Amino acid sequence: MSEPALRNDAAASRVMWIYMLTGVAIFALMALLGLTMRMEQAKWIPLDPTMFYAIMTLHGAGMITAMALCGMGGLWYLMNRERALSTLVAYWAYALVVAGVVAVLLSVFPGKFGAGWTFLYPLPFIGAAWPSWATGLFLLGIALVNVGWIVWCTQMFGCVVATYGGIRGALAWDLVFHPKRFAASGRHAPPPQAFAALVAAVDGLLAGAAGMLVGIALIVHWLSPSIPLDPLWAKNLTFFFGHTFANLTIYMAIALVYVGLPRYANREWHTSQVLAVAWWGTLLFVALAYFHHLYMDFVQPRPVQYIGEVVSYLAAFPPAVVTVFGGALLIFRSQLRWTMGSMFMFAGMVGWIVGGFGAVIDATIDINSTLHNTLWVPAHFHTYLLEGVVLFVLGWIFHQLEERSAAQSSLLMRWLVALGIFGGGAIFLLAFYVGGADGVPRRYATQPPPGPEISAWASVGIIILLIGFVVCLMEAVRLARLRRAATP
Amino acid sequence: MDFNQMVLVVFLVGSVLIVAAMIGVAATTRGAPQPQSQVQPRGYALRARWFWALGAATALALLISLPFVPYPSNAEMAGAQHVKVTAQQYGFALPATIPAQTPIIFDVTALDVNHGFGIYGPDNRLIGQVQAMPEYVNHLPFTFSKAGHYTVRCLEYCGVGHAYMQGAFEVK
Amino acid sequence: MSAVPRRTLAVALLAAACVVASVVPPIESSSVRLDVQTHHLAHAVIIALGLALGLVIASARPVREERPAWLLVAIVSPLMAMLLMIPATYDFTESHPLLHALDHLVFAALSLLTAYAGEQYLRGVGWAAAVALEMMAVGAAFGYGIILTR
Ligand code: HEM
Ligand SMILES: [Cu+2]
């Protein structure tokens, strides 16, 4: 299998870098918007509410899309080594997503669309402080991102099914249930990253279909407002799409750790029966966990609420027992080389588990009664997205830069970056958790006390965090330059 | 310390333990290395125990928490005093006083977009909530033990006036 | 019976079912007014038949290397099908039987194309595309153009 991969490698890494650098660039812009929001909540800067909510909408949509782009590019690159993939299709998906981002951007600046990235029906249409064209452009933008996502998922699905012998092979069914026969057949189990690709593709297509259905309904409603939509139906579909899409960014990015971390530890991370079964669990849980977004909709069918809690709890098992435990075991008493890359990958796993713990707490129906739509929600998802997914991506980028430049960062540099990104990040996140426990609502341009005071602490944390990212960027540029000097 | 603050403490203690455990693992890379073949069997044995421990904890948490869902039973629906709440950009229509020590069902709906009906007690702590969805009525059961001034805040993003969307009632 | 005639038979039967399901109800019961939900579900049945037909036709020649152009067809076709399922047009089409039958035939053709093009892009993908389109078609019946207040 490695023959075509080698031939294709330059083109494949170009795909990866284009996806990832676009994602990181969007991330950088959106981080500044995040700081703006927190400073406004702290009353450090004045901001018109219309502007605040427009910024909030763009930040949410932009960040999730940015992380999706990084995951898509990274996983595409890894799967291309398993089986040569069409770069054309990868560029189509990229072009669609980027076109969608541009449309969303224009709908917010100058359109001031501000119904939240969750565009919950009927808010985009009723009592809007923005022109109708902005609503249409935003919906079109999200639809384009979704179509790009569907293109990518379809290619991944085709890839894993064709490479490992159908769905059954891609699931490693025989490895789990007929291990002797499987070993005797001389076949190889899919590598760990292939499970990430399978889960992203399958759950991604389900979510993409839900998003497409509600997206078309919303666009048709925008064109012809007399067509009614059921608000509960729209909410279910919107969150199935939004939750699953956001959630999958983690499961895509972890593939980078499956491949990167063993190289630092000089050990192997291979597919076992346990790993396969864990990913089956993830496949199921990711598709069902979104129910926890509707706990406070008491009209939702009762069994679905209970399923939501059970599945949300179970979703913690694959990472806690298999992936992160496995990652810890991988480096336990190894000769791990601590570099920027390995530091980020390892720290990202910590952030994933801590944020997951916060999520499981909030996924308890009884506790959700007093945490739902408080700052606890951004608290936990920023923990595993900012101190999880973002770190996995940065870890991979540094891994690439370190391998190609054969250089490393100094201990001082690593401490500086760690203090900034983990230390500043901890202050930023802690402020969210404390606010949430105090009942401060999320998505408030003007918060009741003690919100503003907490926001001030958060802003200090964010500034430290952003300094960490700037230092990190400078270091990345330095390594990238070295690489260019090394390859004539 | 109220319930949410206890939740926060549990979360913080748990998080510190997780971080400490992971730093402990990271620190082993400074000691004498061992081959993967030697580390793995011990790790897998520990993983099995960790799986069962986490499974037991999860089962326990589910058993304890699931009976406490805030959804009303049919008996509660029939036996309570119903209070109508209507949310609209950017305010709530609801009675000015509500009796204490009486089982109440809030019948909550919205006229335009989705809102949230969040009840903040006299000490300004969030004590319960339900969504206010157009076309639907959500029934939130609640019995107030303390008399006093209660604030209602919108807990679902509903447009530019969201942060100012408030209501209030007295419990007597 | 060998595999080829069996496939031909299946193709013939499914094609006949598609046409009958698309054409007969609008013309035979042109006086009947369906509610939006039932009408959506009726479309979902036609779409299921079209998808099955596409999968059976494509099974003749499994494609083992990516053919990107077909991917576009496999993604645009279900989009078109869903865009055409506008509940506001149902009243109008119900009073124009021929147009209504044509409308249904377009659904059948687009779903056939969805599944077939998916399989022509790469084996197995047609199934995924089929599941996705069928889910959207059935899902539409529970809130697109109607409000099912509980
Ligand atoms: C770089 C540092 C970041 C800062 C300073 C930041 C800040 C914020 C703030 C202040 C909010 C609004 C909270 C509220 O409801 O009051 C927010 C919301 C949000 N953030 Fe971030 N964030 C950061 C990184 C990220 C990342 C990495 C992601 C995802 C990958 C992300 C995704 C979101 C989402 C989805 C929302 C919800 C928006 C909504 O409620 O509609 N953020 N962020
Ligand atoms: Cu509101």
Side-chain angles (χ1 to χ4, degrees), chain A residues 444, chain B residues 90 114-116 154-159 161-163 165:
Chain A
Y444 264 32
Chain B
Y90 295 102
N114 290 289
H115 299 275
C154 182
L155 283 186
E156 181 61 60
Y157 176 53
C158 59
H162 174 51
M165 180 162 164

Side-chain angles (χ1 to χ4, degrees), chain A residues 49-50 53 56-57 114-116 120-123 126-130 230-233 235 267-270 272 274 294-300 302 305-306 309-310 313-314 316-317 320-322 324-325 328-336 338 346 349-350 353-355 357-358 361 364-374 376 430 433-434 436-446 448, chain B residues 2-5 7-8 10-15 18-19 22-36 39-40 42-44 46-48 50-51 54-59 61-62 65-73 89-90 111-114 120 124-141 153-166:
Chain A
T50 310
Y53 291 117
M56 181 189 86
T57 302
L120 193 56
Y121 176 83
L123 186 55
I126 295 185
W130 52 88
D230 185 306
L232 187 62
W233 173 85
K235 189 170 183 181
R267 284 183 174 175
E268 270 175 43
W269 202 333
H270 66 262
S272 62
V274 171
L294 283 91
Y295 285 158
M296 292 301 116
D297 289 274
F298 290 14
V299 281
Q300 181 86 335
R302 200 67 53 89
Q305 308 284 30
Y306 294 112
E309 179 167 330
V310 173
Y313 275 47
L314 292 180
F317 277 70
V321 178
V322 181
V324 173
F325 189 93
L329 188 58
L330 185 89
I331 77 159
F332 184 78
R333 291 204 178 278
S334 73
Q335 283 170 302
L336 185 86
W338 286 104
F346 189 72
M349 295 199 291
V350 182
I353 293 295
V354 172
F357 183 38
I361 289 175
T364 312
I365 299 173
D366 183 40
I367 298 181
N368 194 253
S369 275
T370 47
L371 288 184
H372 184 70
N373 279 350
T374 68
W376 190 277
L430 194 63
Y433 284 107
V434 170
D438 273 341
V440 179
R442 73 183 282 203
R443 295 174 154 181
Y444 264 32
T446 310
Chain B
D2 80 349
F3 185 66
N4 274 2
Q5 284 164 326
V7 168
L8 179 65
V10 169
F11 169 75
L12 290 177
V13 170
S15 301
I18 294 168
V19 173
M22 290 297 270
I23 290 179
V25 169
T28 66
T29 59
R30 301 210 174 279
Q34 287 176 0
Q36 192 175 16
V39 173
Q40 235 166 19
R42 280 190 292 145
Y44 286 162
L46 182 65
R47 181 174 70 183
W50 168 229
F51 172 78
L54 196 65
T58 302
L62 286 172
S65 66
L66 281 177
F68 287 96
V69 295
Y71 314 126
S73 65
Q89 285 170 337
Y90 295 102
L111 295 180
D112 40 31
V113 301
N114 290 289
Y120 286 73
N124 238 331
R125 312 238 7 128
L126 177 59
I127 52 179
Q129 65 172 303
V130 72
Q131 290 276 305
M133 183 179 264
E135 312 286 352
Y136 286 83
V137 180
N138 283 307
H139 305 285
L140 172 69
R153 289 207 174 87
C154 182
L155 283 186
E156 181 61 60
Y157 176 53
C158 59
V160 286
H162 174 51
Y164 299 102
M165 180 162 164
Q166 284 191 18

Side-chain angles (χ1 to χ4, degrees), chain A residues 225-244:
Chain A
S226 65
I227 298 175
L229 307 183
D230 185 306
L232 187 62
W233 173 85
K235 189 170 183 181
N236 271 283
L237 288 174
T238 303
F239 277 97
F240 182 41
F241 165 66
H243 170 88
T244 311

